[in-house]
Amino acid sequence: QVQLVESGGGLVQTGGSLRLSCAVSGGTASSFTMAWFRQRPGAEREFVAALRRYNSNPYYADSVKGRFTVSKDNAKNTVYLQMNGLKPEDTAVYYCAAGNGILSTLRLVTGYNYWGQGTQVTVSS
């Protein structure tokens, strides 16, 4: 019933910016811990950022802290990932996810029940 649809990916030069959106339907974004993960070919899916359920405390991977910002608009039931200062190593498929908000699993793929289909982000050097 819950569906997540990502958008906003594309091709950008090093140092550029993109804003990804995750539209939530069939549920309320504020009732979940909402997260962004990314995956490159041949690599495991890795945690990027999250907003924790209830208090919306933000969490970031060390590799993106200071460059990326996760936020949400409750009126639009949409979660965002603002990406600034993009680097070639940020190139990946980015996925939106919704989970139960258990702190011990917040950074783990197994901590999330719902996933979007992904949006490609490519950063040229």
Side-chain angles (χ1 to χ4, degrees), residues 46-113:
E46 66 174 345
F47 173 80
V48 176
L51 285 176
R52 196 181 179 194
R53 187 180 184 181
Y54 304 130
N55 58 22
S56 295
N57 283 350
Y59 294 79
Y60 298 96
D62 289 343
S63 60
V64 306
K65 193 170 185 178
R67 299 188 297 123
F68 291 10
T69 303
V70 61
S71 63
K72 66 180 177 180
D73 185 333
N74 289 331
K76 295 182 178 180
N77 208 25
T78 299
V79 181
Y80 303 97
L81 184 68
Q82 178 67 47
M83 305 185 294
N84 299 325
L86 284 163
K87 305 174 181 179
E89 51 263 46
D90 295 319
T91 296
V93 176
Y94 283 71
Y95 296 90
C96 180
N100 294 327
I102 300 173
L103 187 59
S104 62
T105 63
L106 183 138
R107 296 173 181 265
L108 305 178
V109 169
T110 55
Y112 296 86
N113 299 320

Side-chain angles (χ1 to χ4, degrees), residues 10-60:
L11 176 64
V12 66
Q13 293 182 326
T14 297
S17 298
L18 285 172
R19 188 179 75 162
L20 305 183
S21 298
C22 175
V24 181
S25 62
T28 303
S30 62
S31 68
F32 297 99
T33 288
M34 301 297 303
W36 291 93
F37 287 75
R38 65 187 183 187
Q39 188 169 27
R40 287 175 282 274
E44 295 183 356
R45 193 167 298 186
E46 66 174 345
F47 173 80
V48 176
L51 285 176
R52 196 181 179 194
R53 187 180 184 181
Y54 304 130
N55 58 22
S56 295
N57 283 350
Y59 294 79
Y60 298 96

